[in-house]
Amino acid sequence: MEFTQSNRSAQLIQTPAKCDLCEAETKIEWKCLNCNMLMCFKCKDKIHVKFKFAKDHIIIDVKDVGVYPEEMDFSELNCAEHPSQSAVMFCTPCDRLVCTSCISKFHNGHSFIEISEGYNIKMKIIKSDHNKANEKMNELTKRKRELSHVHIKDCAKYNELINNIEPDTSTVFGILLCPDNSLWIYDANVLQKVKPEGDKLTVESTFNINVLGMAITPTGDLLLYSGGSVLKEISGKTGTVTDSIYSVSPLYLTHVHVTKGGKVIVGVTSGLILYLEKGRRAVILMNKEGKHKTIYEHDKNNIQIFTRPYKIASTDNGNICIVDKLSEDFSGIVVLLSQDGNILHIYNGHREVNTEKKPFKPIRIVTTPSNKLVVPEFNILIFYILNNCGHLIT
């Protein structure tokens, strides 16, 4: 998080709280929200009650607000991109602090708020997430107690259970969840739709088809590609396989992604050779009717953006996230584009992990419900967490 990374520079001034009325007692128990006063028990009952309209004031336990008054000094925050410059604003679309250079070079046209306002927004989110985490922990604790009496007594029955929940695929390459909670599972040659029923997965349909990638539409239809220029579609209702309305001919598909709004985004190249020195390499945004709405191919200087668009994801604010493979050894970068095609950021790995001898090798990109990006790296047990503008969080 931007603020937590920069808090080393922020000066948090903390002094033991005293009663604002008697200015002597440090055992604070109450706060009046109307007067903005911290009070000891004695002053609350003896002095504050004499204030005009005191009976209408809202008084809360200090445990709900903390017993240390905090004052944040944001004047010494340095910009993460330009450490020699001070951060001056908070960019709301990119969720990060920015300096004047950032604003002119990378964030032109974005909306900004004061750093203090951005800090307050972040604190509200943290408190909300904390409350949700506590609720989840309580729920899991309750569930654990309910299941504590359950034991697997028969090893043979346990092995039978494991066999029953494994579909007839040799190596699972991908799993997708449908709106009706069924699952699409595929390996190199077999695609299956399965339905969880108790402790088993019931196979509803099986297709002998080579799947290179797939995505689910909001209506539950499956879009997939097996090479070529046209996405195939399997109806979520009837299970019939047809050529879809989504075509990129004469180009070739490299990936498919469906946004929450139902728009289809595909990666394309102009040839079957994986890494072309010449030719087209692009990302195409299509609407629900299959029309090509936007083609992302060149930057503002007319230089090709991609080498091979390999994996695609999207965020709620409309940014498009692409894993671009640079060579056959899986080395690559993560490119973040705005809806209008501006390159917001290019992430090329962590300087303490990735070097010239150990290049960054992203193999997937997934958007979380909180609009963060998760990028695993090939053959390394590392996940990079990026914000919705492609900057590293952790």
Side-chain angles (χ1 to χ4, degrees):
M1 182 183 296
E2 187 72 23
F3 279 106
T4 56
Q5 291 176 350
S6 301
N7 269 354
R8 296 190 183 98
S9 302
Q11 302 299 316
L12 180 60
I13 304 169
Q14 293 187 337
T15 56
K18 293 182 179 180
C19 175
D20 289 324
L21 294 177
C22 67
E23 297 184 348
E25 179 62 64
T26 58
K27 189 177 179 181
I28 305 303
E29 297 186 40
W30 306 99
K31 180 174 182 178
C32 176
L33 299 183
N34 300 80
C35 301
N36 194 26
M37 283 185 173
L38 295 171
M39 299 177 290
C40 63
F41 183 83
K42 184 177 180 180
C43 289
K44 168 184 172 288
D45 288 346
K46 299 294 185 181
I47 300 177
H48 183 269
V49 293
K50 298 178 182 179
F51 286 14
K52 190 175 182 179
F53 304 120
K55 62 182 178 62
D56 298 322
H57 287 193
I58 300 174
I59 298 176
I60 63 174
D61 193 310
V62 292
K63 292 178 182 178
D64 296 329
V65 295
V67 295
Y68 289 98
E70 298 183 356
E71 178 185 348
M72 296 299 299
D73 178 12
F74 301 108
S75 61
E76 300 298 326
L77 292 175
N78 292 331
C79 174
E81 291 292 325
H82 308 95
S84 63
Q85 298 190 40
S86 297
V88 295
M89 298 293 285
F90 183 79
C91 178
T92 51
C94 296
D95 193 38
R96 66 187 285 106
L97 297 173
V98 292
C99 65
T100 53
S101 295
C102 287
I103 294 173
S104 61
K105 293 181 180 179
F106 308 114
H107 302 264
N108 188 24
H110 291 190
S111 57
F112 303 95
I113 57 177
E114 295 290 339
I115 294 177
S116 58
E117 186 179 351
Y119 172 79
N120 291 334
I121 292 173
K122 284 292 185 183
M123 290 305 297
K124 288 181 181 179
I125 294 174
I126 290 173
K127 291 178 181 178
S128 176
D129 289 345
H130 179 72
N131 291 336
K132 290 178 181 178
N134 284 336
E135 291 175 1
K136 191 65 176 179
M137 284 298 296
N138 292 335
E139 179 184 336
L140 291 174
T141 302
K142 179 181 178 182
R143 182 63 175 160
K144 181 180 179 181
R145 286 197 298 266
E146 293 173 351
L147 297 176
S148 60
H149 65 284
V150 178
H151 299 281
I152 299 176
K153 298 179 179 180
D154 191 330
C155 183
K157 289 184 178 180
Y158 173 71
N159 291 331
E160 181 182 357
L161 171 64
I162 295 301
N163 292 330
N164 285 338
I165 65 173
E166 291 182 352
D168 186 21
T169 53
S170 55
T171 301
V172 174
F173 287 175
I175 300 176
L176 282 180
L177 177 65
C178 301
D180 63 356
N181 290 324
S182 60
L183 300 169
W184 284 104
I185 303 177
Y186 75 93
D187 66 6
N189 301 303
V190 177
L191 172 66
Q192 291 185 325
K193 187 176 185 181
V194 299
K195 187 82 170 182
E197 294 182 357
D199 56 9
K200 297 182 180 180
L201 291 178
T202 301
V203 178
E204 294 187 340
S205 55
T206 300
F207 302 88
N208 294 317
I209 185 172
N210 179 29
V211 179
L212 298 178
M214 60 184 184
I216 290 285
T217 68
T219 57
D221 299 322
L222 181 71
L223 296 177
L224 61 91
Y225 70 97
S226 304
S229 304
V230 180
L231 290 174
K232 293 189 177 297
E233 180 175 338
I234 300 180
S235 171
K237 295 180 180 179
T238 65
T240 56
V241 183
T242 59
D243 284 341
S244 74
I245 58 176
Y246 303 103
S247 172
V248 296
S249 181
L251 304 176
Y252 294 89
L253 294 160
T254 62
H255 191 64
V256 57
H257 169 74
V258 178
T259 69
K260 289 183 179 179
K263 295 180 180 179
V264 176
I265 306 176
V266 295
V268 298
T269 65
S270 59
L272 294 176
I273 299 175
L274 292 182
Y275 302 97
L276 299 168
E277 293 184 3
K278 297 181 180 180
R280 298 187 63 186
R281 293 94 74 184
V283 169
I284 300 176
L285 172 67
M286 294 183 273
N287 62 16
K288 297 177 182 179
E289 289 72 42
K291 294 182 179 179
H292 295 194
K293 301 297 292 185
T294 310
I295 298 177
Y296 305 98
E297 188 170 4
H298 299 93
D299 62 16
K300 292 182 177 180
N301 298 316
N302 204 33
I303 297 175
Q304 283 189 314
I305 300 174
F306 308 108
T307 300
R308 182 175 179 80
Y310 181 60
K311 300 294 179 183
I312 302 172
S314 61
T315 61
D316 289 347
N317 64 352
N319 292 344
I320 301 174
C321 325
I322 305 100
V323 171
D324 187 28
K325 283 182 66 174
L326 305 180
S327 66
E328 294 182 1
D329 69 353
F330 282 94
S331 62
I333 56 177
V334 176
V335 181
L336 268 289
L337 299 179
S338 64
Q339 293 185 68
D340 55 9
N342 289 328
I343 298 177
L344 298 175
H345 190 65
I346 295 178
Y347 183 72
N348 54 12
H350 196 289
R351 58 187 177 185
E352 295 182 5
V353 177
N354 306 114
T355 63
E356 186 175 345
K357 293 183 179 180
K358 295 181 179 180
F360 181 46
K361 298 181 178 182
I363 57 169
R364 295 284 188 276
I365 188 163
V366 179
T367 307
T368 70
S370 60
N371 234 23
K372 302 298 187 293
L373 303 171
V374 181
V375 182
E377 189 167 358
F378 179 70
N379 275 352
I380 301 179
L381 297 178
I382 293 179
F383 290 81
Y384 301 87
I385 311 297
L386 313 179
N387 67 12
N388 58 12
C389 282
H391 296 276
L392 181 69
I393 297 175
T394 182

